[in-house]
Amino acid sequence: MTAPAEARVVLYTREACHLCEDARAVVVQVCESAGAQWREVDIDSAPALREKYGEYVPVLEVDGVQQGFWRVDGARLARLLA
């Protein structure tokens, strides 16, 4: 589920978030297919992250660039990783 810090994909989430569960499933599937490493960060683990992302979780970041929030588009993520 969680990969090293050099992961290309970072998924910012929080507990008890149904959108986060959906996003995680997409990220797992796409990253496995693409052979890309990913990691998950709980925004409630740090006040700065909680303040930055608030209610916008899940937030998807690829190669250090925020690519979206709330819903993860698997086809778009696959293109970004190609």
Side-chain angles (χ1 to χ4, degrees), residues 3-45:
E6 64 271 359
R8 290 189 65 194
V9 177
V10 179
L11 182 64
Y12 293 93
T13 63
R14 69 171 10 129
E15 284 190 42
C17 166
H18 72 281
L19 293 177
C20 298
E21 294 170 12
D22 295 345
R24 183 182 307 111
V26 172
V27 168
V28 166
Q29 180 183 15
V30 173
C31 286
E32 279 183 8
S33 294
Q37 294 184 333
W38 73 282
R39 67 185 174 105
E40 185 171 341
V41 178
D42 182 346
I43 68 163
D44 292 323
S45 66

